[in-house]
Amino acid sequence: HVRSRRQRQMCIRDRERRASIMQIPIIIDTDPGIDDAAAISLALCHSKFDVKMISTVNGNVGIEKTTANALKLKQFFNSNVQVHRGASKPLLNQIVDAAPVHGESGMDGYQFPPVSESDLTSVHAVEALKNLLINSEEPITIVAIGPLTNIAILLSSYPEVQNHIKEVIIMGGSTGRGNVTPLAEFNIYCDPEAAQVVFNSGLPLTMVGLDLASKAMFTYDFVKSFKEVNETGRMLYNLFQHYRSEDFDIGVKVYDVFTILYLLNPQSFIVKEADVQIELDGKYTKGATVVNFNSQYPNCSVVLSPIGSEFKDIFLSSLKNCK
Ligand code: BDR
Ligand code: CA
């Protein structure tokens, strides 16, 4: 299953070439989530992306709320993207949530009009992902910004989808410290077994871990500037006021949005190949990503840091595409 370094480099070059000339078909698997909302907003509004589906997963808050939040964003942008509800709990783990960070609703801070359940497509996300992928003429990129439960169930239940997935861009993990426990990042910590399935799937993977957002903080002044841009900027500004991840004086870490910024401009980031495995047993370390940059058999491209502050320009110019 393991791709050679050369094949992976060709894949990256191919992505860069294609990205500059054509739309990137993507699926967003998500648990909105305030930083998820920022990623979804940019993706839905950018002409570079063809968002084929949003699948929801239990994570920051329960599945009913993450699904309602995805529908709120669909409605806000008047988008016709299909939203499918996915896994309501991790494969083996007990549910843990991040309501203290994102608020009780998962997207506290902005008054969205109520959404109707009729906007929700009744087919389960895993079935819908399988159908979409199998019937797609071109391979699709999966942007996974929540726990990896849906993707693990998809790959285990329908291995035939593998050839239809171009790559998986994962917000999860860290090359160093965690944000839930000393070594585990939230998305991986929520469902480590699912993460282990995905990291060992043989698919081309890119890990956008905690490292990146920690090195590319959104300062308060930067977030405040969104208000002047447009209605979406005001919506995101309001959500960020309720994002309890960090101290606003230092800046906020808008983890999920870096998957989209990276796809838009991979050359603005430092990336290194590594073998990434998930700690499944450790009493104190469960959910940690063990990242081996010296492995002969890398399974993942790890995005380590931005180059300069270009990420801010990419964010702002993408925001300007929104309403
Ligand atoms: C990740 O956890 C969630 O709280 C965020 O939405 C992001 O996907 C960061 O650890
Ligand atoms: Ca998320």
Side-chain angles (χ1 to χ4, degrees), residues 4-14 273:
S4 72
R5 202 171 288 264
R6 188 175 141 70
Q7 279 173 321
R8 297 175 66 80
Q9 275 164 356
M10 279 169 61
C11 179
I12 290 170
R13 269 203 295 278
D14 177 53
E273 303 294 293

Side-chain angles (χ1 to χ4, degrees), residues 8-291:
R8 297 175 66 80
Q9 275 164 356
M10 279 169 61
C11 179
I12 290 170
R13 269 203 295 278
D14 177 53
R15 177 171 64 227
E16 286 173 5
R17 188 182 57 79
R18 285 162 56 106
S20 66
I21 50 174
M22 60 193 297
Q23 277 200 311
I24 310 171
I26 63 170
I27 291 164
I28 306 178
D29 189 71
T30 177
D31 62 337
I34 290 176
D35 55 335
D36 302 70
I40 292 168
S41 299
L42 297 197
L44 284 179
C45 300
H46 206 295
S47 59
K48 270 277 159 79
F49 295 111
D50 176 11
V51 185
K52 299 279 189 192
M53 182 197 297
I54 294 178
S55 48
T56 60
V57 66
N58 166 77
N60 284 320
V61 285
I63 190 67
E64 298 304 325
K65 290 179 181 174
T66 60
T67 306
N69 291 341
L71 291 172
K72 287 176 198 167
L73 293 165
K74 169 183 158 90
Q75 182 173 272
F76 181 87
F77 291 109
N78 201 16
S79 162
N80 50 21
V81 68
Q82 296 213 328
V83 175
H84 292 264
R85 177 171 30 214
S88 57
K89 60 196 252 327
L91 296 184
L92 299 177
N93 252 8
Q94 298 297 316
I95 289 176
V96 277
D97 76 19
V101 176
H102 300 263
E104 278 309 311
S105 73
M107 266 176 20
D108 277 9
Y110 187 83
Q111 214 45 51
F112 291 92
V115 285
S116 148
E117 277 281 308
S118 64
D119 270 355
L120 184 66
T121 321
S122 63
V123 181
H124 189 278
V126 173
E127 288 297 310
L129 286 164
K130 186 259 288 177
N131 294 336
L132 174 65
L133 287 161
I134 292 290
N135 293 312
S136 173
E137 278 172 15
E138 53 180 339
I140 302 180
T141 294
I142 297 180
V143 178
I145 54 178
L148 288 161
T149 320
N150 286 337
I151 311 304
I153 298 173
L154 172 73
L155 297 178
S156 314
S157 311
Y158 303 110
E160 65 272 27
V161 299
Q162 293 239 167
N163 291 335
H164 301 265
I165 299 173
K166 182 151 192 286
E167 58 181 330
V168 189
I169 314 286
I170 299 163
M171 191 286 128
S174 157
T175 66
R177 309 291 287 181
N179 62 350
V180 184
T181 67
L183 294 179
E185 179 279 332
F186 179 79
N187 287 339
I188 307 294
Y189 180 80
C190 280
D191 199 341
E193 286 78 13
Q196 183 70 338
V197 169
V198 176
F199 275 92
N200 288 285
S201 63
L203 282 166
L205 305 176
T206 297
M207 175 176 129
V208 174
L210 296 177
D211 314 67
L212 190 48
S214 309
K215 290 182 188 139
M217 298 260 224
F218 280 30
T219 61
Y220 181 63
D221 283 345
F222 184 54
V223 174
K224 215 161 93 185
S225 74
F226 302 168
K227 281 198 293 185
E228 314 308 323
V229 179
N230 51 26
E231 199 182 333
T232 308
R234 284 186 283 285
M235 180 264 284
L236 293 178
Y237 168 80
N238 281 304
L239 291 178
F240 282 125
Q241 299 309 298
H242 289 257
Y243 186 50
R244 304 259 177 262
S245 103
E246 305 299 324
D247 186 342
F248 242 123
D249 291 339
I250 309 166
V252 288
K253 296 173 188 166
V254 191
Y255 305 107
D256 292 340
V257 88
F258 284 97
T259 54
I260 298 299
L261 301 182
Y262 171 73
L263 272 174
L264 281 170
N265 238 19
Q267 61 278 16
S268 299
F269 298 91
I270 293 169
V271 182
K272 222 170 152 186
E273 303 294 293
D275 177 62
V276 179
Q277 299 298 324
I278 312 300
E279 175 58 65
L280 298 178
D281 299 317
K283 185 173 171 190
Y284 301 110
T285 54
K286 192 169 180 193
T289 37
V290 181
V291 182

